[in-house]
C-alpha cells in the first residue's frame, strides 16, 4: 500500500483528478490518497495558498499527485508551483512527448523527453522594481546558474537516457549571448558528456533549436536545458504531440517527487465537464513507473493510446464538436484496461 498526497487543484483540477484516480485504482495497485489543499481552493478555505498541513503531508509521503493551481497574474501570492519546487528541491522537470496515434498533429513521429532544470535560472525568484517617486522605472530579474545545480540536472539527463535506452542528449543554451549563465551550463555539460561515451551528445542554441523542433522533431531524443528555455521548449514539444491536454510532467527532487499535467487550471472551461484528463492520467503513469509498478503503468498507457487511436468518446479538445466529456473518456479508458 502506497500513501500519496493528492492535491485536487483549481478550475478543472478536481474533475480531472477524480477521473485519473479512478483510472489508477482500476489497475489494482493499492494507494491511500492523503487529500490536501493548495492554491485558490486553499485560499478560500483557510486564507493560505499553501497550508502547513499540505507541506507536512508531502514531507511525510515524499510523493505528490497534483492538479493544476491558479496563480494570480502580476500581484497576489507567488506561484505555489514554484514554491513547491523550491521547498522540496524538485530540481528535474521531466516531460516526455511521444506522438499519440489518432491525435491531429503535423508530425506522427515525435519521441523526445525534455528535462528542465526546475529550481534556478531566471525563475530563482530574485527580482524587484526600481522606483523613483513610487513610479516603476525599471525591473530586474536575476538568473542563477550554479555548478552544483547544473551538474545535478545534466547528470540526471544522461542517467535518464541510459535507463530509458535513449541514444542522444541535446543541451540547449544561449551561450553566444548569455556568456556567464548559459556559458557555464554548456561548459559543465561538455565535461559531463565525456563520462557517457555510450550516449551521443550535442548542443543547440535555443532559438535555432525551437526552429528545428518544429521542422523535424525526430532530430531530438533527450533535451536538457535551464529553467526558462525548458519551460518554453517543453510546451512546444507538447504542441507537437497534440497539445497540453495530452502532456504530463514529473518533478523529481532530493526529498520528494511530484507528478502533474503540464497544463493549467483552464478557467475558461472549468465546471463544463469537458476537460481532458489524459495528461493527468499520463502523469499517473509516470508516478506508477516511479513507484516501481511498470505493469500497471503500461496497462494504463496502452489503454489511453487505444482509446485515442479509436477516436470515440474523446473530449472536444481532441475531437472538435465531440459531445463527450471528462467522465466519458475516463470510462472508455477503464473499459479498455479490462479488455
Ligand atoms: P491553461 O493550460 O490552463 O489553458 C490554456 C488553454 O488550454 C485553455 O484554452 C484551456 O481551456 C485549454 N486546456 C488546458 N488544459 C486542458 C484540458 N485538460 N482539457 C482541455 N483543454 C485544456 O493555461 P492558462 O489559461 O494560461 O492558465 C490558467 C491558470 O493555470 C493560470 O492561473 C496559470 O497560472 C495556471 N497554471 C498552472 C499550472 C500548474 O499548476 N502546473 C501550469 C500552467 C498554468
Amino acid at each position: 500500500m502506497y500513501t500519496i498526497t493528492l492535491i485536487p487543484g483549481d478550475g478543472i483540477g478536481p474533475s480531472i483528478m477524480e477521473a485519473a484516480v479512478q483510472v489508477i485504482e482500476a489497475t489494482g495497485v493499492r494507494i491511500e490518497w492523503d487529500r490536501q489543499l493548495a492554491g485558490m481552493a486553499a485560499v478560500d478555505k483557510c486564507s493560505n495558498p499553501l497550508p502547513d498541513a499540505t507541506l507536512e503531508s508531502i514531507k511525510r509521503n515524499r510523493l505528490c499527485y497534483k492538479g493544476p493551481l491558479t496563480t494570480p497574474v502580476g500581484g497576489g501570492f507567488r506561484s505555489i508551483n514554484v514554491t513547491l519546487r523550491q521547498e522540496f528541491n524538485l530540481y528535474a522537470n521531466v516531460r516526455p512527448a511521444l506522438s499519440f496515434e489518432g491525435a491531429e498533429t503535423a508530425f506522427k513521429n515525435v519521441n523526445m523527453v525534455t528535462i528542465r532544470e526546475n529550481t534556478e535560472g531566471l525563475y530563482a525568484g530574485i527580482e524587484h522594481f526600481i522606483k523613483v517617486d513610487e513610479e516603476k522605472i525599471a525591473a530586474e530579474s536575476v538568473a542563477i546558474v550554479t555548478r552544483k545545480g547544473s551538474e545535478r540536472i545534466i547528470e540526471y539527463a544522461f542517467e535518464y537516457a541510459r535507463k530509458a535506452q535513449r541514444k542522444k542528449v541535446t543541451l540547449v543554451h544561449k551561450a553566444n549571448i548569455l556568456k556567464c549563465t548559459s556559458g557555464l551550463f554548456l561548459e559543465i555539460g561538455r565535461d559531463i558528456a565525456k563520462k557517457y561515451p555510450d550516449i551521443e551528445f550535442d548542443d543547440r542554441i535555443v532559438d535555432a533549436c525551437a526552429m528545428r523542433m518544429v521542422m523535424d522533431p525526430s532530430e531530438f531524443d533527450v533535451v536538457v536545458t535551464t529553467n526558462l528555455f525548458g519551460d518554453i521548449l517543453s510546451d512546444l514539444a507538447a504542441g507537437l504531440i497534440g497539445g497540453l491536454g495530452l502532456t504530463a510532467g514529473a518533478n523529481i527532487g532530493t526529498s520528494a517527487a511530484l507528478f502533474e499535467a503540464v497544463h493549467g487550471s483552464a478557467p475558461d472551461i472549468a465546471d463544463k465537464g469537458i476537460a481532458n484528463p489524459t495528461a493527468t492520467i499520463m502523469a499517473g503513469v509516470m508516478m506508477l513507473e516511479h513507484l516501481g509498478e511498470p505493469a500497471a503503468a503500461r496497462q494504463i498507457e496502452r489503454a489511453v493510446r487505444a482509446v485515442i487511436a479509436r477516436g470515440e468518446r474523446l473530449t472536444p479538445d481532441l475531437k472538435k464538436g465531440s459531445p463527450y466529456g471528462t467522465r466519458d473518456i475516463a470510462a472508455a479508458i477503464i473499459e479498455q484496461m479490462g479488455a
Side-chain angles (χ1 to χ4, degrees):
M1 167 83 93
Y2 304 102
T3 307
I4 298 173
T5 303
L6 185 140
I7 299 175
D10 299 316
I12 60 170
S15 65
I16 53 176
M17 291 301 282
E18 185 194 303
V21 162
Q22 282 170 6
V23 170
I24 292 172
E25 288 186 342
T27 64
V29 173
R30 291 179 61 221
I31 297 173
E32 188 190 333
W33 303 103
D34 182 359
R35 289 169 197 271
Q36 300 290 340
L37 291 177
M40 297 307 285
V43 171
D44 293 346
K45 251 224 163 102
C46 41
S47 311
N48 179 355
L50 188 56
D52 288 346
T54 303
L55 286 172
E56 286 306 318
S57 164
I58 302 173
K59 262 183 208 147
R60 214 170 34 242
N61 301 324
R62 299 168 66 91
L63 267 182
C64 178
Y65 192 35
K66 182 182 134 316
L69 303 175
T70 299
T71 306
V73 177
F77 58 82
R78 181 161 183 238
S79 161
I80 299 304
N81 296 315
V82 175
T83 310
L84 284 172
R85 281 170 207 156
Q86 287 175 348
E87 179 77 28
F88 294 102
N89 223 344
L90 304 173
Y91 67 89
N93 180 254
V94 182
R95 290 187 187 179
L98 179 60
S99 292
F100 281 83
E101 190 193 332
E104 283 173 24
T105 51
F107 299 99
K108 302 289 170 217
N109 58 345
V110 182
N111 184 0
M112 71 172 100
V113 180
T114 318
I115 297 182
R116 158 188 172 195
E117 204 294 321
N118 223 4
T119 56
E120 303 189 336
L122 257 181
Y123 294 8
I126 305 172
E127 57 177 2
H128 59 257
F129 294 110
I130 297 167
K131 292 183 183 172
V132 172
D133 296 333
E134 286 311 301
E135 189 195 356
K136 293 170 191 160
I137 57 153
E140 287 180 344
S141 300
V142 178
I144 303 289
V145 171
T146 66
R147 176 168 292 278
K148 193 171 155 229
S150 305
E151 282 173 352
R152 187 168 67 173
I153 192 71
I154 297 164
E155 268 164 13
Y156 183 92
F158 275 100
E159 290 296 326
Y160 180 97
R162 237 182 212 170
K163 210 166 146 206
Q165 295 178 333
R166 288 181 173 269
K167 295 190 167 45
K168 185 167 83 173
V169 170
T170 300
L171 182 147
V172 180
H173 60 89
K174 185 76 185 175
N176 51 333
I177 306 290
L178 304 171
K179 292 185 191 293
C180 294
T181 45
S182 258
L184 179 63
F185 193 72
L186 176 60
E187 185 187 311
I188 292 169
R190 284 182 173 150
D191 279 347
I192 290 174
K194 292 181 194 143
K195 291 197 287 178
Y196 295 86
D198 50 320
I199 294 168
E200 194 189 328
F201 174 75
D202 66 359
D203 69 89
R204 305 267 181 130
I205 292 176
V206 63
D207 38 347
C209 173
M211 184 189 66
R212 290 309 308 166
M213 267 189 187
V214 296
M215 290 186 77
D216 184 6
S218 71
E219 287 175 17
F220 297 90
D221 193 352
V222 174
V223 171
V224 64
T225 188
T226 44
N227 211 336
L228 173 64
F229 299 157
D231 196 6
I232 297 166
L233 290 179
S234 56
D235 268 22
L236 189 158
L240 292 174
I241 63 157
L244 296 172
L246 294 174
T247 315
N251 296 281
I252 308 290
T254 45
S255 52
L258 183 150
F259 299 84
E260 63 183 340
V262 164
H263 60 73
S265 56
D268 53 336
I269 56 163
D271 302 323
K272 289 192 179 154
I274 56 165
N276 181 1
T278 305
T280 301
I281 293 169
M282 293 305 286
V285 167
M286 297 179 83
M287 187 168 71
L288 287 166
E289 270 163 4
H290 181 84
L291 284 172
E293 298 282 356
R298 289 292 74 76
Q299 185 192 9
I300 298 177
E301 183 169 3
R302 267 198 307 272
V304 168
R305 289 186 179 278
V307 165
I308 293 176
R310 216 169 31 240
E312 294 162 10
R313 287 195 276 172
L314 301 184
T315 45
D317 60 308
L318 292 175
K319 196 174 177 187
K320 260 203 181 86
S322 168
Y324 296 105
T326 314
R327 289 194 174 146
D328 302 307
I329 187 170
I333 292 166
I334 292 169
E335 273 170 42
Q336 180 69 32
M337 284 164 69

